[in-house]
Every structure is written in C-alpha cells, then in structure tokens.
C-alpha cells in the first residue's frame, strides 16, 4: 500500500493516532526509502527551528508603542474606565513607509455619514451621490464584490473591496474604496442593518497621480473609526462569502 | 494595571514580528504589521477565546493585516528585496563556523520557498502550532496545510542535502 508524504510527515511530527502510527511504523520497517523520508521530515523541522527559532529583538520604539497601547487598554478595561474614549495620542503612530510618497491630506470628510443607501427618503442628493455612485450599483457591489476584487460599477467608477468585518454590535461591515478616473478616491465603510446598507464612515482623499491608493492621514482617520466602533479582525474569504450569502 | 492578555501579547511580540518578517521580509513593514495587529487585538480582545492559543489568534490578525496591505498596494508594484534576516545564530568568535553556515543555508532555503509554503513552515515548525491551528490561522483546510508543509520540508531537506 502506498503511503503519501503527508502521512509520513504527520508520523514524524507525532501527529498520528497510535494505531495509525503503528501501521506507518510497520511500513517504514519494510522500506528504507520511507525511513529516509521520515528522517528528512524530522531533520528539516529541527533545522528550521534552529535557524529561525530565536526571534530577533523587537525594536524599542515598537515595543514602547505597544506597551502604551496596553496601558490605554488597561484604563479602558478598568471598572469605571473610559471605555468609550479613544486615546488618540496612544494610537498615533509613525506613518507606514508605503504611504510616505503621498503628501496629500484628507481633502474632505464627506457628509454622508449615516446616510441610508437604497432608502427612498434618503434621496439621491443626500446619499452617496456625493461620491457620484449610483446607489443601486453600490448596493449590488457591497453584496457581491469580494475583498481584494475591483469592479467597474459605473462609467469610470471603480469599487474595490478591502475587507469585511463585524463591528462591536455584530453588524457586518465592509471597508471599500471607490475611485473615479478623474478625481477623488473615497475610502468608506458601510454596515448592514435590518434596513439595509448604510455608509458609516467615508473620507475622500485627493487623487494620487498614478496610484490608486489612499494617503496615510485618511487611513489614520479610518483606524480611529475602526477602533471606536470595535471593529473585529477582517473576515477570511470563506467567512466573508458566508456572511454575504446570509444577507440574500 | 495591565492584565495577562496584555502581558502575553507583549511577550509574543518577537514571535509576531518574526512571522511578519517571514511574510513581508521588510523590517519597517513588519513593525507596522505588528503594530496594526496589536491595535486590532486590543480592540477585539473580547472576542478572543481564552481556551485557544493567543499566538494563533494574533497570527491570524497579522496575516489579515498583511493581506489588506497587499491589496492596497497592488498598483504600486511590490518591492521585496531586503531580507531582514533574523540573527538566529549568535556565535562566540569563530566557534563552530560550520554550524553557522548550515543555519545560514537553511535560512536561505526557507526564504526561497513560495510564500504559502513559507508561512506554514513558520507556523508549524517555528511557532509549533498544530496543523489544525495553522489551518485556522490561514483559513484553509488542514489537508492544504499538510501538503504545503510536506512540500516545503522536502524542498528544504533537498537543498540542505538531507536525504
């Protein structure tokens, strides 16, 4: 009977049930090639652990930043603590390098917070028309474009799914960017409640010349919002697919 | 006063940064990823299940942060060239140069692996997660973890001349 590499590896790692392991042992005893392979699995693991097992020291500045976060967290956790207050100072961090080339600042905090999408009374002008997106198309995109995917949802208008997560109240939220061929990129978060999707956060950013990504200051604003709303970790692709399917 | 969640998180910072380095291979970006991970972890700490491993939960957050970053920067072209190699082998003078060279060679072999194989290698062989825990961090079936890991280990063994 053939034995696959995964099973030999699991044997080498001691991850097989005793009866499985005994069977593998019998096969190894009869085949020097298999025994050599088990040794290769064991040796490679030991070698990798030896080579990378000692983690390099954490830079002092990073460690200090995170200790400050822990202190701020302790104040929030404390009885009578300021649970709803974001300690902005402790959150402020150095601008990640990948955002450095863009000096643009937040051009406009768009006044569409809380505007319901797709509800007639919200009106075309008051809702997402600020962002020049046709609402039906946006609702469709929120329900179907997966994170990491970009789709044209109007003439020259793009929708890029960034991430899906649940906020502190358990609502499904989607972070996305939309962009136009000329003009601003808007980074936004929409959450789904019983009444439908509503845009909970949006910042427009001055358009970059050649790269459709968003300047640092906007992302700091977004980070602050995410923290204030107790945003959970991004859903995996599978979780996102299941969450979106559940809305249908 | 800090509590055990914070203390454990802080104690895991070197492991988080090492995992971040294995994903992005840049010290500055790795630091950013660790910081984002800590922010998200504190914000979502109520959702951590204390019967599970904190490191596995944090690795998952970190990995998601990395994916977010990669998605945002697809238009930039990725610049990956500087390997901030962990200084694993600390030597006293020239003691056992050969062992050091072996470890350097192993590091190079690991660095040469495809990203999906390298991350399972890190999670299982270095951070000692189980196959199942690694599968949960990555969000793939356990069989996928095992096949990637087996390929990675055989590739490293071959490069190191282990038969």
């Amino acid at each position: 009977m053939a034995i696959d590499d995964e099973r030999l590896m699991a044997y080498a790692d001691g991850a097989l049930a005793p009866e499985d392991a005994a069977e593998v042992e019998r096969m190894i005893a009869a085949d020097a090639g298999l025994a050599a392979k088990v040794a290769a699995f064991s040796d490679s693991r030991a070698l990798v652990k030896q080579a990378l097992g000692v983690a390099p020291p954490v830079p002092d500045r990073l460690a200090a930043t995170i200790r400050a976060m822990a202190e701020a967290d302790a104040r929030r956790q404390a009885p009578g603590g300021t649970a709803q207050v974001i300690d902005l100072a402790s959150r402020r961090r150095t601008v990640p390098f990948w955002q450095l080339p863009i000096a643009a600042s937040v051009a406009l905090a768009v006044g569409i917070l809380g505007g319901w999408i797709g509800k007639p009374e919200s009106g075309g002008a008051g809702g997402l028309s600020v962002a020049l997106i046709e609402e039906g198309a946006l609702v469709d995109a929120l329900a179907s474009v997966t994170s990491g995917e970009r789709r044209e949802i109007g003439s020259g208008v793009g929708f890029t799914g960034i991430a899906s997560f649940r906020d502190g109240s358990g609502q499904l939220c989607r972070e996305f960017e939309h962009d136009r061929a000329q003009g601003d990129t808007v980074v936004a978060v929409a959450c789904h409640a019983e009444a439908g999707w509503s845009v909970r956060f949006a910042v427009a950013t001055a358009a970059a010349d050649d790269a459709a990504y968003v300047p640092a200051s906007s992302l700091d604003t977004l980070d602050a919002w995410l923290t204030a709303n107790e945003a959970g970790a991004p859903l995996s692709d599978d979780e996102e697919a299941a969450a979106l399917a559940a809305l249908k | 006063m800090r509590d055990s969640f914070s203390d454990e998180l802080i104690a895991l910072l070197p492991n988080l940064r090492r995992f971040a380095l294995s994903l992005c291979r840049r010290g500055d970006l790795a630091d950013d990823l660790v910081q984002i991970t800590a922010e998200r972890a504190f914000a979502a700490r109520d959702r951590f299940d204390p019967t599970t491993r904190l490191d596995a939960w944090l690795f998952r957050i970190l990995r998601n942060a990395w994916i977010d970053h990669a998605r945002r920067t697809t238009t930039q072209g990725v610049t990956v060239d500087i390997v901030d190699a962990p200084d694993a082998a600390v030597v006293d003078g020239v003691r056992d140069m050969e062992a050091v060279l072996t470890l350097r060679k192993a590091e190079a072999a690991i660095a040469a692996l495809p990203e999906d194989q390298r991350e399972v290698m890190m999670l299982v062989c270095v951070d000692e997660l189980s196959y199942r825990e690694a599968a949960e961090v990555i969000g793939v079936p356990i069989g996928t973890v095992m096949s990637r890991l087996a390929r990675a280990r055989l590739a490293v063994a071959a490069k190191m001349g282990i038969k």
Side-chain angles (χ1 to χ4, degrees), chain B residues 1 3 5 15 22 51 56 64 69 90 94 96-97 127 130 140 143:
Chain B
M1 293 302 289
D3 55 11
F5 179 90
N15 304 49
S22 78
T51 63
N64 284 330
H69 165 68
V90 179
V94 289
D96 215 345
M97 234 16 229
D127 286 294
S130 68
V140 297

Side-chain angles (χ1 to χ4, degrees), chain A residues 5-6 9-10 13 15 36-37 40-45 47-59 62-63 65-67 69-71 73-74 76-77 91 93 96-98 147-148 162-163 166 175 177 211-213 219 222-223 230-234 236-239, chain B residues 1-3 6 9-10 13-15 17-18 21 26 28-29 31-32 34-36 38-40 42-47 60-61 64 68-69 71-73 75-76 86-88 102-103 106-107 110 121-122 124-126 128 131 139 146-147 149-150 153-154 156-157 160 162-163:
Chain A
D5 288 345
E6 287 77 16
M9 177 181 74
D13 286 345
K37 218 165 197 179
F41 281 122
S42 297
D43 292 351
S44 59
R45 179 174 190 142
L47 195 58
V48 168
K49 176 78 181 175
Q50 225 184 327
L52 297 179
V54 180
V58 175
L62 176 63
T65 303
I66 290 168
R67 276 195 299 273
M69 276 184 214
E71 299 297 343
D73 179 71
R76 282 195 299 274
Q77 298 290 325
R91 294 181 41 80
R93 62 170 194 253
F97 80 92
W98 69 80
S147 294
I162 301 293
R166 293 199 182 272
E175 180 188 340
E177 291 179 8
Y213 67 99
L219 296 183
L222 173 62
D223 276 355
E230 301 178 336
S236 69
D237 293 347
D238 290 347
E239 290 168 342
Chain B
M1 293 302 289
R2 296 207 299 257
D3 55 11
S6 296
L9 187 149
I10 288 169
L13 289 178
N15 304 49
R17 188 163 176 280
R18 177 175 58 196
L21 280 171
R26 293 192 53 150
D28 49 1
L29 178 50
D31 290 351
D32 282 336
V34 170
Q35 188 167 332
I36 291 165
E39 285 175 359
R40 291 184 181 173
F42 282 121
R45 59 175 287 169
D46 293 343
R47 261 160 282 167
R60 181 162 180 196
I61 296 174
N64 284 330
D68 283 356
H69 165 68
R71 283 173 180 161
R72 283 185 200 286
T73 51
T75 53
Q76 287 185 81
D87 216 7
T102 302
L103 294 182
E107 284 172 19
I110 297 159
M121 186 81 113
M122 293 300 296
V124 175
C125 295
V126 179
E128 303 189 337
Y131 303 152
M146 291 175 71
S147 73
L149 184 62
R153 282 159 77 171
L154 291 178
V156 167
M160 300 299 294
I162 302 171
K163 291 281 175 188

Side-chain angles (χ1 to χ4, degrees), chain B residues 98-151:
Chain B
E98 194 181 337
V100 174
L101 290 176
T102 302
L103 294 182
R104 291 281 174 235
K105 205 169 151 196
E107 284 172 19
I110 297 159
L113 291 171
E115 186 174 328
D116 59 350
Q117 293 183 25
R118 194 169 58 242
E119 68 177 354
V120 291
M121 186 81 113
M122 293 300 296
L123 292 171
V124 175
C125 295
V126 179
D127 286 294
E128 303 189 337
L129 267 57
S130 68
Y131 303 152
R132 180 160 304 284
E133 286 162 340
E136 283 165 8
V137 169
I138 300 171
V140 297
I142 190 169
T144 306
V145 163
M146 291 175 71
S147 73
R148 286 178 188 170
L149 184 62
R151 268 179 283 144

Side-chain angles (χ1 to χ4, degrees), chain A residues 154-246:
Chain A
S155 59
V157 180
F159 175 103
T160 306
I162 301 293
S164 298
F165 58 90
R166 293 199 182 272
D167 70 6
S169 67
Q171 282 186 0
L172 177 67
C173 297
R174 304 208 63 193
E175 180 188 340
F176 60 96
E177 291 179 8
H178 50 88
D179 58 85
R180 285 181 288 145
Q182 286 97 29
D184 296 342
T185 292
V186 174
V187 61
V189 176
C191 298
H192 193 272
E194 280 179 21
W197 289 100
S198 71
V199 173
R200 301 265 302 275
F201 172 92
V203 281
T205 63
D209 291 329
D210 52 354
Y213 67 99
V214 174
S217 52
S218 307
L219 296 183
D220 282 347
T221 313
L222 173 62
D223 276 355
W225 185 90
L226 291 172
T227 300
N229 287 274
E230 301 178 336
L235 303 181
S236 69
D237 293 347
D238 290 347
E239 290 168 342
E240 176 183 277
L244 293 177

Side-chain angles (χ1 to χ4, degrees), chain A residues 43-141:
Chain A
D43 292 351
S44 59
R45 179 174 190 142
L47 195 58
V48 168
K49 176 78 181 175
Q50 225 184 327
L52 297 179
V54 180
V58 175
D60 291 342
R61 201 180 57 182
L62 176 63
T65 303
I66 290 168
R67 276 195 299 273
M69 276 184 214
E71 299 297 343
D73 179 71
R75 286 194 292 279
R76 282 195 299 274
Q77 298 290 325
T82 49
Q84 300 307 313
V85 178
I86 319 166
D87 184 345
L88 282 174
S90 79
R91 294 181 41 80
R92 191 162 297 130
R93 62 170 194 253
T94 54
V95 178
F97 80 92
W98 69 80
Q99 295 159 356
L100 281 177
I102 298 294
S105 56
V106 178
L108 172 67
V110 188
I112 58 178
L113 298 170
W116 291 101
I117 307 169
K119 272 177 71 180
E121 59 268 31
S122 71
L128 271 175
S129 59
V130 173
L132 296 181
I133 289 184
E134 200 267 305
E135 292 186 1
L138 180 59
V139 172
D140 286 347

